[in-house]
Amino acid sequence: MSSLPEVTDATFESEVLKADLPVLVDFSAEWCGPCRSLAPIVEALAAEYDGRVKFVQLNIDNSRQTPSAYGIMAVPTIILFKDGEVADKVTGFKPKPVLEKHLESLVA
């Protein structure tokens, strides 16, 4: 798992849906190899977009309601939220330039 702050079913609404900034939620699991490969990319993006996008992770094994509510069928899945609504969704490992394009559309 990454060093991103973790959200849970209990904190998802306050930390993500009511956030002042757009939010990238990294839905992942400790047993997921591609999630571990994606973590350093997401952490690098978090540093680059600091102050413009909030980055958090949600462990699907610890919090099951939220992934179910958003139709998470595989990890890693990244969902970008803006103003409490789903703005974009990316499933599977993606290289940094692909994720940057998704983020740029969010902050543009």
Side-chain angles (χ1 to χ4, degrees):
M1 299 294 283
S2 73
S3 63
L4 297 177
E6 187 167 340
V7 295
T8 63
D9 289 338
T11 61
F12 191 82
E13 182 178 358
S14 63
E15 292 293 321
V16 176
L17 302 181
K18 293 184 176 176
D20 294 333
L21 294 171
V23 184
L24 179 148
V25 182
D26 179 9
F27 291 86
S28 58
E30 290 183 25
W31 48 262
C32 167
C35 298
R36 287 194 296 273
S37 299
L38 187 63
I41 295 171
V42 174
E43 289 172 8
L45 290 169
E48 288 176 33
Y49 285 84
D50 187 37
R52 296 190 292 157
V53 178
K54 181 178 180 177
F55 285 71
V56 297
Q57 67 179 341
L58 187 142
N59 184 322
I60 63 164
D61 291 329
N62 298 342
S63 297
R64 297 185 182 271
Q65 290 177 322
T66 304
S68 178
Y70 288 96
I72 305 298
M73 304 300 279
V75 288
T77 293
I78 289 177
I79 299 183
L80 302 169
F81 290 85
K82 190 168 187 174
D83 301 323
E85 300 290 326
V86 174
D88 205 351
K89 185 175 180 177
V90 181
T91 302
F93 177 86
K94 299 289 186 269
K96 189 177 176 193
V98 172
L99 295 177
E100 284 174 324
K101 284 184 182 174
H102 288 277
L103 281 165
E104 283 303 317
S105 68
L106 190 67
V107 296

